[in-house]
Every structure is written in structure tokens, then in C-alpha cells.
Coordinates of all heavy atoms in Angstrom, one line a residue:
S1 N 54.3 -111.9 -109.5 CA 53.3 -111.1 -110.2 C 53.8 -110.6 -111.5 O 55.0 -110.4 -111.7 CB 52.9 -109.9 -109.3 OG 53.9 -108.9 -109.3
R2 N 52.9 -110.4 -112.4 CA 53.3 -110.0 -113.8 C 53.6 -108.5 -113.9 O 52.9 -107.7 -113.2 CB 52.2 -110.4 -114.8 CG 52.1 -111.9 -114.9 CD 51.0 -112.3 -115.8 NE 51.1 -111.7 -117.1 CZ 50.2 -111.7 -118.0 NH1 49.0 -112.2 -117.8 NH2 50.4 -111.2 -119.2
D3 N 54.5 -108.1 -114.7 CA 54.8 -106.7 -114.9 C 53.8 -106.1 -115.9 O 53.8 -106.5 -117.0 CB 56.3 -106.6 -115.5 CG 56.7 -105.2 -115.6 OD1 56.0 -104.3 -115.1 OD2 57.7 -104.9 -116.2
M4 N 53.0 -105.2 -115.4 CA 51.9 -104.7 -116.2 C 52.2 -103.2 -116.6 O 51.3 -102.4 -116.7 CB 50.6 -104.8 -115.5 CG 50.1 -106.2 -115.3 SD 50.1 -107.2 -116.8 CE 48.7 -106.5 -117.6
R5 N 53.5 -102.9 -116.9 CA 53.8 -101.6 -117.4 C 53.2 -101.3 -118.7 O 53.0 -102.2 -119.5 CB 55.3 -101.4 -117.5 CG 56.0 -101.4 -116.2 CD 57.5 -101.2 -116.3 NE 58.1 -102.1 -117.3 CZ 58.8 -101.7 -118.3 NH1 59.1 -100.5 -118.5 NH2 59.3 -102.6 -119.2
T6 N 52.8 -100.0 -118.9 CA 52.3 -99.6 -120.2 C 53.2 -98.6 -120.8 O 53.9 -97.9 -120.1 CB 50.8 -99.1 -120.2 OG1 50.8 -97.9 -119.3 CG2 49.9 -100.1 -119.6
V7 N 53.2 -98.5 -122.1 CA 53.9 -97.4 -122.8 C 53.0 -96.7 -123.7 O 52.0 -97.3 -124.2 CB 55.1 -98.0 -123.6 CG1 56.2 -98.6 -122.7 CG2 54.7 -99.1 -124.6
E8 N 53.3 -95.4 -124.0 CA 52.5 -94.6 -124.9 C 53.1 -94.6 -126.2 O 54.3 -94.2 -126.4 CB 52.4 -93.2 -124.3 CG 51.4 -92.3 -125.1 CD 51.3 -90.9 -124.5 OE1 52.2 -90.1 -124.6 OE2 50.2 -90.7 -123.8
L9 N 52.4 -95.0 -127.2 CA 52.9 -95.1 -128.6 C 52.0 -94.3 -129.5 O 50.8 -94.1 -129.3 CB 53.0 -96.5 -129.1 CG 54.0 -97.4 -128.3 CD1 53.9 -98.8 -128.8 CD2 55.4 -96.9 -128.5
L10 N 52.5 -94.0 -130.7 CA 51.8 -93.3 -131.8 C 51.7 -94.3 -132.9 O 52.7 -94.8 -133.4 CB 52.6 -92.1 -132.2 CG 52.0 -91.1 -133.1 CD1 50.7 -90.5 -132.6 CD2 53.0 -89.9 -133.3
L11 N 50.5 -94.6 -133.3 CA 50.3 -95.6 -134.4 C 50.7 -95.1 -135.7 O 50.3 -93.9 -136.1 CB 48.8 -96.1 -134.4 CG 48.4 -96.9 -133.2 CD1 46.9 -97.3 -133.4 CD2 49.3 -98.1 -132.9
R12 N 51.4 -95.8 -136.5 CA 51.8 -95.4 -137.9 C 50.9 -95.9 -138.9 O 50.9 -95.5 -140.0 CB 53.2 -95.9 -138.2 CG 54.3 -95.4 -137.3 CD 55.6 -95.9 -137.7 NE 55.8 -95.5 -139.1 CZ 56.9 -95.8 -139.8 NH1 57.9 -96.5 -139.3 NH2 57.0 -95.4 -141.1
D13 N 50.1 -97.0 -138.6 CA 49.2 -97.6 -139.5 C 48.0 -98.0 -138.6 O 48.0 -98.0 -137.4 CB 49.8 -98.8 -140.1 CG 50.8 -98.5 -141.2 OD1 50.5 -97.8 -142.1 OD2 52.0 -98.9 -141.0
R14 N 46.9 -98.4 -139.3 CA 45.7 -99.0 -138.7 C 46.1 -100.3 -138.0 O 46.7 -101.1 -138.7 CB 44.6 -99.2 -139.7 CG 43.3 -99.6 -139.0 CD 42.2 -99.8 -140.1 NE 41.0 -100.2 -139.5 CZ 40.8 -101.5 -139.1 NH1 41.7 -102.4 -139.3 NH2 39.6 -101.8 -138.5
V15 N 45.7 -100.5 -136.8 CA 46.0 -101.8 -136.1 C 44.6 -102.2 -135.6 O 44.0 -101.5 -134.8 CB 47.0 -101.6 -134.9 CG1 47.2 -102.9 -134.2 CG2 48.3 -101.1 -135.4
E16 N 44.2 -103.4 -136.0 CA 42.9 -104.0 -135.7 C 42.7 -104.0 -134.1 O 43.7 -104.4 -133.4 CB 42.8 -105.4 -136.2 CG 41.5 -106.0 -136.0 CD 40.7 -106.2 -137.2 OE1 41.2 -106.1 -138.3 OE2 39.5 -106.6 -137.1
H17 N 41.6 -103.6 -133.7 CA 41.2 -103.6 -132.2 C 42.1 -102.6 -131.4 O 42.0 -102.6 -130.2 CB 41.3 -104.9 -131.6 CG 40.5 -106.0 -132.3 ND1 39.2 -105.9 -132.4 CD2 40.9 -107.1 -133.0 CE1 38.7 -107.0 -133.1 NE2 39.8 -107.7 -133.5
L18 N 42.8 -101.7 -132.1 CA 43.7 -100.8 -131.3 C 43.5 -99.3 -131.8 O 43.2 -98.5 -130.9 CB 45.1 -101.2 -131.4 CG 46.1 -100.5 -130.5 CD1 45.7 -100.7 -129.0 CD2 47.5 -101.0 -130.7
G19 N 43.5 -99.1 -133.1 CA 43.3 -97.7 -133.5 C 43.8 -97.5 -134.9 O 44.2 -98.4 -135.6
R20 N 43.7 -96.2 -135.3 CA 44.1 -95.8 -136.7 C 45.4 -95.0 -136.7 O 45.9 -94.6 -135.6 CB 43.0 -94.9 -137.3 CG 41.7 -95.6 -137.5 CD 40.5 -94.7 -137.8 NE 40.8 -93.5 -138.6 CZ 40.0 -92.8 -139.3 NH1 38.7 -93.2 -139.3 NH2 40.3 -91.7 -139.9
C21 N 45.9 -94.8 -137.9 CA 47.1 -94.0 -138.0 C 47.0 -92.7 -137.3 O 46.0 -92.0 -137.5 CB 47.4 -93.8 -139.5 SG 48.9 -92.8 -139.8
G22 N 48.0 -92.3 -136.5 CA 47.9 -91.0 -135.8 C 47.4 -91.1 -134.4 O 47.5 -90.2 -133.6
D23 N 46.7 -92.2 -134.0 CA 46.2 -92.4 -132.7 C 47.3 -92.6 -131.7 O 48.3 -93.3 -132.0 CB 45.2 -93.5 -132.6 CG 43.9 -93.3 -133.3 OD1 43.7 -92.2 -133.8 OD2 43.1 -94.3 -133.4
V24 N 47.2 -92.0 -130.5 CA 48.1 -92.2 -129.4 C 47.4 -93.3 -128.5 O 46.3 -93.1 -128.1 CB 48.4 -90.9 -128.6 CG1 49.3 -91.2 -127.4 CG2 49.0 -89.9 -129.5
V25 N 48.2 -94.4 -128.3 CA 47.6 -95.5 -127.5 C 48.5 -95.9 -126.4 O 49.7 -95.7 -126.5 CB 47.3 -96.7 -128.4 CG1 46.2 -96.4 -129.4 CG2 48.6 -97.2 -129.1
N26 N 47.9 -96.4 -125.3 CA 48.7 -97.0 -124.2 C 48.6 -98.5 -124.3 O 47.4 -99.0 -124.3 CB 48.2 -96.5 -122.8 CG 48.6 -95.1 -122.6 OD1 49.8 -94.7 -122.5 ND2 47.6 -94.2 -122.4
V27 N 49.7 -99.2 -124.4 CA 49.7 -100.6 -124.6 C 50.7 -101.2 -123.6 O 51.6 -100.5 -123.1 CB 50.0 -101.1 -126.0 CG1 49.0 -100.6 -127.0 CG2 51.4 -100.6 -126.4
A28 N 50.5 -102.5 -123.4 CA 51.5 -103.2 -122.5 C 52.9 -103.2 -123.1 O 53.0 -103.2 -124.3 CB 51.0 -104.7 -122.3
A29 N 53.9 -103.0 -122.3 CA 55.2 -102.9 -122.7 C 55.6 -104.1 -123.6 O 56.3 -103.9 -124.6 CB 56.2 -102.7 -121.5
G30 N 55.2 -105.3 -123.2 CA 55.6 -106.5 -124.0 C 54.9 -106.5 -125.4 O 55.6 -106.9 -126.4
Y31 N 53.7 -106.0 -125.5 CA 53.0 -105.9 -126.8 C 53.7 -104.9 -127.7 O 54.0 -105.2 -128.9 CB 51.6 -105.5 -126.6 CG 50.7 -105.5 -127.8 CD1 50.6 -106.5 -128.7 CD2 50.0 -104.3 -128.1 CE1 49.8 -106.5 -129.8 CE2 49.2 -104.2 -129.2 CZ 49.1 -105.3 -130.1 OH 48.3 -105.2 -131.2
A32 N 54.2 -103.8 -127.1 CA 54.9 -102.8 -127.9 C 56.2 -103.4 -128.4 O 56.6 -103.3 -129.5 CB 55.1 -101.6 -127.1
R33 N 57.0 -104.0 -127.4 CA 58.3 -104.5 -127.7 C 58.3 -105.7 -128.7 O 59.1 -105.8 -129.6 CB 59.0 -104.9 -126.4 CG 60.4 -105.4 -126.5 CD 61.0 -105.8 -125.2 NE 60.2 -106.8 -124.5 CZ 59.4 -106.6 -123.4 NH1 59.4 -105.4 -122.8 NH2 58.7 -107.5 -122.8
N34 N 57.3 -106.6 -128.5 CA 57.3 -107.8 -129.3 C 56.5 -107.8 -130.6 O 56.8 -108.6 -131.5 CB 56.8 -109.0 -128.5 CG 57.7 -109.2 -127.3 OD1 58.9 -109.2 -127.4 ND2 57.1 -109.5 -126.1
Y35 N 55.6 -106.8 -130.7 CA 54.7 -106.8 -131.9 C 54.7 -105.5 -132.6 O 55.1 -105.4 -133.8 CB 53.3 -107.2 -131.5 CG 52.4 -107.3 -132.7 CD1 52.4 -108.4 -133.5 CD2 51.5 -106.3 -133.0 CE1 51.6 -108.4 -134.7 CE2 50.6 -106.3 -134.1 CZ 50.7 -107.4 -134.9 OH 49.9 -107.5 -136.0
L36 N 54.3 -104.4 -132.0 CA 54.1 -103.1 -132.7 C 55.4 -102.5 -133.2 O 55.5 -102.1 -134.3 CB 53.4 -102.1 -131.7 CG 52.0 -102.5 -131.3 CD1 51.4 -101.6 -130.3 CD2 51.1 -102.6 -132.6
L37 N 56.4 -102.5 -132.3 CA 57.7 -101.8 -132.7 C 58.5 -102.6 -133.8 O 58.9 -102.0 -134.8 CB 58.5 -101.5 -131.5 CG 57.9 -100.5 -130.5 CD1 58.7 -100.4 -129.2 CD2 57.7 -99.1 -131.2
P38 N 58.6 -103.9 -133.6 CA 59.4 -104.6 -134.7 C 58.7 -104.6 -136.1 O 59.4 -104.6 -137.1 CB 59.4 -106.1 -134.2 CG 59.1 -106.0 -132.7 CD 58.3 -104.8 -132.5
R39 N 57.4 -104.5 -136.1 CA 56.7 -104.4 -137.4 C 56.5 -103.0 -137.9 O 55.8 -102.8 -138.8 CB 55.3 -105.1 -137.2 CG 55.4 -106.6 -137.1 CD 54.2 -107.3 -136.6 NE 54.3 -108.7 -136.6 CZ 54.9 -109.4 -135.6 NH1 55.4 -108.7 -134.6 NH2 54.9 -110.7 -135.6
R40 N 57.1 -102.0 -137.1 CA 57.0 -100.6 -137.5 C 55.6 -100.1 -137.6 O 55.3 -99.2 -138.4 CB 57.8 -100.3 -138.8 CG 59.3 -100.7 -138.6 CD 60.2 -100.4 -139.8 NE 60.1 -99.1 -140.3 CZ 60.6 -98.0 -139.8 NH1 61.4 -98.1 -138.7 NH2 60.5 -96.8 -140.4
L41 N 54.7 -100.6 -136.7 CA 53.3 -100.2 -136.7 C 53.1 -99.0 -135.8 O 52.1 -98.3 -135.8 CB 52.4 -101.4 -136.2 CG 52.4 -102.6 -137.2 CD1 51.6 -103.7 -136.5 CD2 51.7 -102.2 -138.5
A42 N 54.1 -98.8 -134.9 CA 54.0 -97.7 -134.0 C 55.4 -97.1 -133.7 O 56.4 -97.8 -133.9 CB 53.4 -98.2 -132.7
I43 N 55.4 -95.9 -133.2 CA 56.6 -95.2 -132.8 C 56.4 -94.5 -131.5 O 55.2 -94.4 -131.0 CB 57.1 -94.2 -133.9 CG1 56.0 -93.2 -134.2 CG2 57.6 -94.9 -135.1 CD1 56.4 -92.1 -135.2
A44 N 57.5 -94.1 -130.8 CA 57.4 -93.3 -129.6 C 56.5 -92.1 -129.7 O 56.5 -91.4 -130.8 CB 58.7 -92.9 -129.1
A45 N 55.7 -91.8 -128.8 CA 54.7 -90.7 -128.8 C 55.4 -89.4 -128.4 O 55.0 -88.7 -127.5 CB 53.5 -91.0 -128.0
T46 N 56.4 -89.0 -129.1 CA 57.1 -87.7 -128.9 C 56.4 -86.6 -129.6 O 55.6 -86.8 -130.6 CB 58.6 -87.7 -129.3 OG1 58.6 -87.9 -130.7 CG2 59.3 -88.8 -128.6
E47 N 56.6 -85.3 -129.2 CA 55.9 -84.2 -129.9 C 56.4 -84.1 -131.4 O 55.5 -83.9 -132.2 CB 56.3 -82.9 -129.2 CG 55.6 -82.7 -127.9 CD 54.1 -82.9 -128.0 OE1 53.5 -82.3 -128.9 OE2 53.5 -83.6 -127.1
E48 N 57.6 -84.4 -131.6 CA 58.1 -84.3 -133.0 C 57.4 -85.4 -133.9 O 57.0 -85.1 -135.0 CB 59.6 -84.5 -133.0 CG 60.2 -84.4 -134.4 CD 61.7 -84.6 -134.4 OE1 62.4 -84.5 -133.4 OE2 62.3 -85.0 -135.5
N49 N 57.3 -86.6 -133.3 CA 56.7 -87.7 -134.1 C 55.2 -87.4 -134.3 O 54.6 -87.8 -135.3 CB 56.9 -89.0 -133.3 CG 58.3 -89.6 -133.5 OD1 59.0 -89.2 -134.4 ND2 58.6 -90.5 -132.6
K50 N 54.5 -86.8 -133.3 CA 53.1 -86.4 -133.4 C 52.9 -85.5 -134.5 O 52.0 -85.6 -135.3 CB 52.6 -85.9 -132.1 CG 52.4 -86.9 -131.0 CD 52.0 -86.2 -129.7 CE 51.9 -87.2 -128.6 NZ 51.5 -86.6 -127.3
R51 N 53.8 -84.4 -134.6 CA 53.7 -83.5 -135.8 C 53.9 -84.2 -137.1 O 53.1 -83.9 -138.0 CB 54.7 -82.4 -135.6 CG 54.3 -81.3 -134.6 CD 55.2 -80.1 -134.7 NE 56.6 -80.4 -134.5 CZ 57.2 -80.4 -133.3 NH1 56.5 -80.2 -132.2 NH2 58.5 -80.7 -133.2
M52 N 54.9 -85.0 -137.2 CA 55.2 -85.7 -138.5 C 54.0 -86.6 -138.9 O 53.5 -86.5 -140.0 CB 56.4 -86.6 -138.3 CG 56.8 -87.4 -139.6 SD 57.8 -88.8 -139.3 CE 56.9 -89.7 -138.1
L53 N 53.5 -87.3 -137.9 CA 52.4 -88.2 -138.2 C 51.1 -87.5 -138.5 O 50.2 -88.0 -139.3 CB 52.2 -89.2 -137.1 CG 52.7 -90.6 -137.4 CD1 52.4 -91.6 -136.3 CD2 52.3 -91.2 -138.7
S54 N 50.9 -86.3 -137.9 CA 49.6 -85.6 -138.1 C 49.6 -85.2 -139.6 O 48.5 -85.2 -140.2 CB 49.5 -84.4 -137.2 OG 50.4 -83.4 -137.6
R55 N 50.7 -84.8 -140.2 CA 50.7 -84.5 -141.6 C 50.4 -85.7 -142.5 O 49.7 -85.6 -143.4 CB 52.1 -83.9 -142.0 CG 52.4 -82.5 -141.4 CD 53.6 -81.8 -142.0 NE 54.8 -82.6 -141.7 CZ 55.6 -82.3 -140.7 NH1 55.2 -81.4 -139.8 NH2 56.7 -83.0 -140.5
R56 N 51.0 -86.8 -142.1 CA 50.7 -88.1 -142.8 C 49.2 -88.5 -142.7 O 48.6 -88.9 -143.7 CB 51.6 -89.2 -142.3 CG 51.5 -90.5 -143.0 CD 52.5 -91.5 -142.6 NE 52.2 -92.7 -143.2 CZ 52.3 -93.9 -142.5 NH1 52.6 -94.0 -141.3 NH2 52.0 -95.0 -143.1
T57 N 48.7 -88.3 -141.5 CA 47.3 -88.7 -141.3 C 46.4 -87.8 -142.1 O 45.4 -88.3 -142.6 CB 47.0 -88.5 -139.8 OG1 47.9 -89.3 -139.0 CG2 45.6 -88.9 -139.5
E58 N 46.7 -86.5 -142.2 CA 45.8 -85.6 -143.0 C 45.8 -86.1 -144.5 O 44.8 -86.1 -145.1 CB 46.4 -84.2 -143.0 CG 46.1 -83.5 -141.7 CD 46.8 -82.1 -141.6 OE1 47.2 -81.6 -142.6 OE2 47.0 -81.6 -140.5
R59 N 47.0 -86.5 -145.0 CA 47.0 -87.0 -146.4 C 46.2 -88.3 -146.5 O 45.5 -88.4 -147.5 CB 48.5 -87.3 -146.7 CG 49.2 -86.2 -147.4 CD 50.5 -86.7 -148.2 NE 51.2 -87.8 -147.5 CZ 52.2 -87.5 -146.6 NH1 52.5 -86.3 -146.2 NH2 52.8 -88.5 -146.0
L60 N 46.3 -89.2 -145.5 CA 45.5 -90.4 -145.6 C 44.0 -90.2 -145.5 O 43.3 -90.8 -146.2 CB 46.0 -91.4 -144.5 CG 47.3 -92.0 -144.6 CD1 47.7 -92.8 -143.3 CD2 47.5 -92.8 -145.8
L61 N 43.6 -89.2 -144.7 CA 42.2 -88.9 -144.6 C 41.7 -88.3 -145.9 O 40.5 -88.6 -146.3 CB 41.9 -87.9 -143.5 CG 42.1 -88.5 -142.1 CD1 42.0 -87.4 -141.0 CD2 41.1 -89.6 -141.8
V62 N 42.5 -87.5 -146.6 CA 42.1 -87.0 -147.9 C 41.9 -88.1 -148.9 O 40.9 -88.2 -149.6 CB 43.1 -85.9 -148.4 CG1 42.8 -85.5 -149.8 CG2 43.0 -84.7 -147.5
E63 N 42.9 -89.0 -148.9 CA 42.8 -90.1 -149.8 C 41.6 -91.0 -149.5 O 40.9 -91.5 -150.4 CB 44.1 -91.0 -149.8 CG 45.3 -90.3 -150.3 CD 46.6 -91.1 -150.0 OE1 46.5 -92.2 -149.6 OE2 47.7 -90.5 -150.2
E64 N 41.3 -91.3 -148.2 CA 40.2 -92.1 -147.8 C 38.9 -91.4 -148.2 O 38.0 -92.1 -148.7 CB 40.3 -92.2 -146.3 CG 39.3 -93.2 -145.7 CD 39.4 -93.4 -144.2 OE1 40.3 -94.1 -143.8 OE2 38.7 -92.7 -143.5
A65 N 38.8 -90.1 -148.1 CA 37.5 -89.4 -148.5 C 37.4 -89.5 -150.0 O 36.2 -89.7 -150.5 CB 37.6 -88.0 -148.0
A66 N 38.4 -89.4 -150.7 CA 38.3 -89.5 -152.2 C 37.9 -90.9 -152.6 O 37.0 -91.1 -153.5 CB 39.7 -89.2 -152.8
Q67 N 38.4 -92.0 -151.9 CA 37.9 -93.3 -152.2 C 36.5 -93.5 -151.9 O 35.7 -94.2 -152.7 CB 38.8 -94.3 -151.4 CG 40.2 -94.5 -152.0 CD 41.0 -95.4 -151.1 OE1 40.7 -95.8 -150.0 NE2 42.2 -95.8 -151.7
I68 N 36.0 -93.0 -150.8 CA 34.6 -93.1 -150.4 C 33.7 -92.4 -151.4 O 32.7 -93.0 -151.8 CB 34.4 -92.6 -149.0 CG1 35.1 -93.5 -147.9 CG2 32.9 -92.4 -148.7 CD1 35.1 -92.9 -146.5
A69 N 34.1 -91.2 -151.8 CA 33.4 -90.5 -152.8 C 33.3 -91.3 -154.1 O 32.3 -91.3 -154.8 CB 34.0 -89.1 -153.0
E70 N 34.4 -92.0 -154.5 CA 34.4 -92.7 -155.7 C 33.4 -93.9 -155.7 O 32.9 -94.2 -156.7 CB 35.9 -93.3 -155.9 CG 36.2 -93.8 -157.2 CD 37.7 -94.2 -157.3 OE1 38.5 -93.3 -157.1 OE2 37.9 -95.4 -157.5
F71 N 33.2 -94.5 -154.5 CA 32.3 -95.6 -154.4 C 30.9 -95.3 -154.1 O 30.0 -96.2 -154.1 CB 32.9 -96.6 -153.3 CG 34.2 -97.2 -153.7 CD1 35.3 -97.0 -153.0 CD2 34.3 -98.0 -154.9 CE1 36.5 -97.6 -153.3 CE2 35.5 -98.6 -155.2 CZ 36.6 -98.4 -154.4
T72 N 30.6 -94.0 -153.9 CA 29.2 -93.7 -153.7 C 28.5 -93.0 -154.8 O 29.2 -92.5 -155.7 CB 29.1 -92.8 -152.4 OG1 29.9 -91.6 -152.6 CG2 29.5 -93.6 -151.2

């Protein structure tokens, strides 16, 4: 039988079909180990990392809102 363990990660960037920066996601351990972590798209979902990324996410949301306002 296949090992279907999941790990909880915090996304550092937008990942198609998974989530946006700052989202906490549960993914298969292999997907985390082989794709998300080596590409620095996600980090461990610790309280310290959540605080750090929440500040970064706020900045990104402000920039995103400014871009949207610019195009409308």
C-alpha cells in the first residue's frame, strides 16, 4: 500500500490549484518533499513562520489592490 501521509505547509507564493501566499495547506509528503520545498514555494507551518508570512501577505495584498485600481 502507498504511504499517504500529509504534511501541513505554509505557502510562500501562489501555487496553481493549491493556494495563495500565506495559505496553510495539507499536501502529500512526497509532493512537499519533491516539489514545494526544493522550489522554496512553501515552508513549515510553524507559528513563527505564520507571523512572518502574514506581514508579507499584507504587503502583497496592498500591492495587488494598487495594481487592480490602476487597471480599472
Side-chain angles (χ1 to χ4, degrees):
S1 75
R2 293 175 59 191
D3 184 11
M4 296 304 290
R5 290 183 309 127
T6 62
V7 292
E8 187 177 74
L9 295 176
L10 189 57
L11 295 181
R12 296 184 58 181
D13 288 299
R14 183 180 180 283
V15 179
E16 184 110 10
H17 306 295
L18 193 56
R20 294 170 29 160
C21 177
D23 288 353
V24 176
V25 295
N26 285 301
V27 296
Y31 182 54
R33 181 179 58 248
N34 297 320
Y35 183 77
L36 295 173
L37 296 172
R39 289 167 177 79
R40 300 183 50 80
L41 296 172
I43 55 177
T46 64
E47 287 306 314
E48 182 180 340
N49 285 343
K50 288 176 184 178
R51 280 193 301 275
M52 178 200 58
L53 257 184
S54 72
R55 289 191 296 270
R56 181 172 175 225
T57 303
E58 287 173 20
R59 269 199 318 275
L60 289 174
L61 290 174
V62 168
E63 291 172 11
E64 188 178 279
Q67 287 177 344
I68 290 170
E70 194 175 299
F71 292 119
T72 57

